[in-house]
Amino acid sequence: MDNTRSHDIAWLPGDGIGPEVTREALRVLDAVASAHGFSVTATEHRIGGAALDETGRPFPTSTREACLESDAVLLGAVGGPKWNDNTGEQRPEHGLLTLRKALGVYANLRPVRVPEARAGASPLRPDRVGGTDILFVRELTGGIYFGTPEGRTDDGARSTMVYSEAEIERIAHVAFQRAQRRDGHVTSVDKANVLEVSELWREVVPRIREEHYPDLELRHLYVDNAAMQVVRDPRQFDVVLTGNLFGDILSDLAAALPGSLGLLPSASVGGAVGLFEPVHGSAPDIAGQDVANPTAAILSAALLLDAVGETAAADAIRHGVDAALDAGFRTADLAASDEETVSTSTLGREVATHAADPAPKNAPTP
Ligand code: NAD
């Protein structure tokens, strides 16, 4: 076994439940690292409200430098009532936006899985949603959020959706390469019946497939139909490739499928260093109580390991999460009303045990 591999992680716990859930992610990372013969060194840095309190800025230079020097960034969440009245560059969220920009990450990956055994937690009928396994690939640095001209006009306001061919090409490559490791099927989502920018999207994406990935399947859906299909029959999707605005809306729609925000990880990649964070926010209503679900943070750590090439250990984490949840270790957001609940740290420890040893003997029951 190769004992020389080591990965330096910038750990940005942030605010609210961020520290609690990412601590469990680090626990699980440590456990799989020992089991798979590599080491992980995590160095803690401030971001968001915690950084504002300490330095007066939500993304201090020292944090920026540490992130850019690291192999990957693991983030909790930012924000909370204490800083709600802050405006502009004094908002905790400004720190997160600046971080994403500093890293240059243009591809946002959001896996949404609903295993059969946990389909009962979904707001949709379990027989419709069980077995869902979708990867959303959302373009993150272009589109209508960044297009110009933008702003007020004499009699209204305007925003502009802009994509260059190069921007579409690079995000298409990300989606096809992910599909190669999954079921080989990409659904590209646009609004080509109305928008010129989507017409270009619909020309470029098939060209990239023909030139580089002829073995993969590609189909196109209009975004309105895609939204309906995500709810009607989510199992039909493998990889969903889309732009910034449509991806924002569709991936949040799909985030409802597993039944808790506490289950959804994300990765933002393509730049100098990757950023890995749960989809949820800082959940001030439950912060500091050891009740938050750490699964989203733990699965974000798995995406981090995928990105640094430790794919076997990443799979072990996903296995550990399934094993712990299926064994009945559930935080309050997931438990049925008559089920016993476990704490953040108990679930984290249980996942770590299963992840480090795929078949633990005498596994405890909650
Ligand atoms: P939220 O995601 O923090 O919480 C929404 C609801 O989901 C709450 O009831 C919360 O208790 C629950 N929840 C979230 N994560 C959970 C978990 N891991 N386990 C169990 N329950 C969980 O969204 P919000 O309440 O709209 O925002 C709270 C703060 O977080 C705000 O300051 C907001 O700006 C910030 N925020 C930050 C990010 C980020 O850092 N990426 C994202 C969204 C919101």
Side-chain angles (χ1 to χ4, degrees):
M1 198 180 287
D2 178 4
N3 281 313
T4 59
R5 301 189 315 274
S6 70
H7 306 290
D8 291 329
I9 296 174
W11 172 36
L12 278 43
D15 308 317
I17 61 170
E20 301 164 49
V21 296
T22 48
R23 205 172 294 127
E24 298 313 314
L26 291 179
R27 186 202 299 279
V28 175
L29 274 176
D30 269 347
V32 291
S34 325
H36 286 80
F38 61 92
S39 68
V40 168
T41 310
T43 346
E44 184 177 351
H45 302 277
R46 298 274 169 266
I47 192 167
L52 276 165
D53 286 355
E54 208 171 279
T55 68
R57 300 170 62 191
F59 187 53
T61 311
S62 55
T63 301
R64 177 197 185 91
E65 284 169 1
C67 290
L68 286 169
E69 281 165 16
S70 71
D71 296 323
V73 179
L74 178 69
L75 176 101
V78 300
K82 184 175 177 189
W83 307 281
N84 271 357
D85 294 335
N86 289 22
T87 55
E89 296 186 1
Q90 288 294 300
R91 286 182 56 74
E93 292 76 9
H94 184 75
L96 187 50
L97 296 179
T98 321
L99 166 65
R100 289 178 182 151
K101 201 166 172 192
L103 299 179
V105 285
Y106 64 81
N108 183 234
L109 312 179
R110 277 208 201 177
V112 176
R113 283 174 64 234
V114 187
E116 300 280 0
R118 299 202 298 276
S122 175
L124 299 190
R125 273 174 31 199
D127 60 312
R128 288 280 174 100
V129 77
T132 293
D133 185 355
I134 312 176
L135 177 67
F136 286 89
V137 177
R138 167 191 170 195
E139 203 288 330
L140 201 56
T141 54
I144 198 163
Y145 294 170
F146 298 97
T148 51
E150 213 260 353
R152 295 298 165 105
T153 60
D154 289 344
D155 57 355
R158 68 183 156 190
S159 299
T160 314
M161 191 182 282
V162 182
Y163 270 118
S164 68
E165 281 196 39
E167 283 175 318
I168 302 169
E169 284 171 6
R170 67 181 185 178
I171 194 71
H173 278 293
V174 173
F176 286 122
Q177 283 165 14
R178 294 283 157 170
Q180 279 177 325
R181 290 185 246 154
R182 295 172 48 100
D183 289 344
H185 189 280
V186 173
T187 303
S188 175
V189 174
D190 60 41
K191 190 73 184 169
N193 49 344
V194 177
L195 302 175
E196 184 72 31
V197 66
S198 283
E199 271 186 44
L200 177 67
W201 186 280
R202 224 175 243 233
E203 284 166 29
V204 172
V205 173
R207 174 166 60 70
I208 296 299
R209 185 195 77 88
E210 278 157 34
E211 287 173 3
H212 301 275
Y213 313 95
D215 297 340
L216 299 184
E217 283 178 55
L218 170 67
R219 70 168 172 164
H220 303 275
L221 286 185
Y222 297 135
V223 63
D224 42 351
N225 185 21
M228 184 177 72
Q229 298 299 333
V230 164
V231 176
R232 200 186 65 80
D233 178 18
R235 283 184 294 225
Q236 68 182 282
F237 295 101
D238 178 22
V239 173
V240 174
L241 161 65
T242 189
N244 207 342
L245 174 65
F246 302 153
D248 191 1
I249 298 166
L250 280 183
S251 60
D252 262 25
L253 175 69
L257 300 181
S260 170
L261 265 180
L263 293 170
L264 291 149
S266 82
S268 300
V269 297
V273 177
L275 171 64
F276 304 86
E277 55 179 322
V279 164
H280 61 72
S282 60
D285 52 333
I286 56 169
Q289 300 170 28
D290 201 20
V291 297
N293 188 344
T295 303
I298 292 170
L299 290 173
S300 300
L303 294 174
L304 184 158
L305 288 184
D306 279 330
V308 298
E310 301 289 356
T311 50
D315 286 342
I317 292 183
R318 287 184 275 265
H319 164 84
V321 164
D322 283 346
L325 294 178
D326 292 348
F329 286 79
R330 297 186 182 177
T331 41
D333 55 310
L334 286 180
S337 53
D338 57 342
E339 259 179 345
E340 210 178 307
T341 61
V342 301
S343 66
T344 309
S345 43
T346 301
L347 180 52
R349 273 195 293 271
E350 190 62 17
V351 173
T353 305
H354 285 283
D357 177 2
K361 288 138 200 97
N362 306 320
T365 48

